[in-house]
Amino acid sequence: MKLIAPSVLSADFAHLADDLEMINRSEADWLHVDVMDGTFVPNISFGFPLMEPMRKYCTKPLDVHLMIVHPEKYVERFCDAGAWSVGFHLEAVDDPLPILDLIRAKGVRTCLTINPDIAVERLVPYLDKVDMVLLMSVFAGFGGQKFIPETMSKIRFIRSEIERRGLQTLIEIDGGVNADNAAELFRAGADVLVAGSAVFGSPDPIQAIHTLKN
Ligand code: DX5
Ligand code: ZN
């Protein structure tokens, strides 16, 4: 699959409806929604108050990426707020399985995420228990960082595991994605590319999304 999920983190919040309308007209597949709590990551983004306008103005599925401690307390609320998929960080929890169950019970797709310093092998036991894994290609917390090249071999590793076991699990990549590395990321086995600054920092975001996808 070759999907593009622009990250609303880099949108203009004073004109959010305009940016969402642009996303609606574009070839974007999902809208990536970065929720940061200032504890799991050294930054605070936004929370529930933005879910409603996003659901109202955005026609694309909301792909929620929780960068928070205690995701078990909040995943159901994000599901109720209109998330299409909800992901949280493996390194933020003791046992992801009951939290994945909470999300699945709401009929929402599940995603497990790891930061670049977490061994990619730690995702292997969960590949058949989630709809998607998200490999961070920068340290979670901020848009506009530089892509970490070691991500490429991690994608190939997870892709080969998924193929070997005949799974349908999607691989999403988040951080530093741009027109220079998108094709290589898809070739390595990524299904979904998140892009913040490469889309919203472009003078022509619609074209930028097209370029990333093709
Ligand atoms: C980083 C977020 C990313 C971020 C990506 O913590 O998870 O989704 O918005 O931004 P860019 O594409 O600018 O690296
Ligand atoms: Zn993200």
Side-chain angles (χ1 to χ4, degrees), residues 7 9 32 34 36 65 67 136 140-144 174-176 194-197:
S7 169
L9 186 64
H32 186 79
D34 285 308
M36 305 180 185
H65 174 195
M67 287 161 271
M136 290 303 300
F142 300 91
D174 185 3
V194 174
S197 38

Side-chain angles (χ1 to χ4, degrees), residues 100-118:
L100 294 169
D101 286 342
L102 292 175
I103 301 169
R104 210 175 297 106
K106 290 283 186 182
V108 171
R109 287 140 207 89
T110 53
C111 176
L112 257 188
T113 305
I114 53 168
N115 256 313
D117 60 344
I118 303 300

Side-chain angles (χ1 to χ4, degrees), residues 4-8 23 28-33 193-196 199-200 209:
I4 301 295
S7 169
V8 75
I23 295 291
D29 297 280
W30 303 341
L31 184 71
H32 186 79
V33 177
L193 302 183
V194 174
V199 168
F200 291 99
I209 291 166

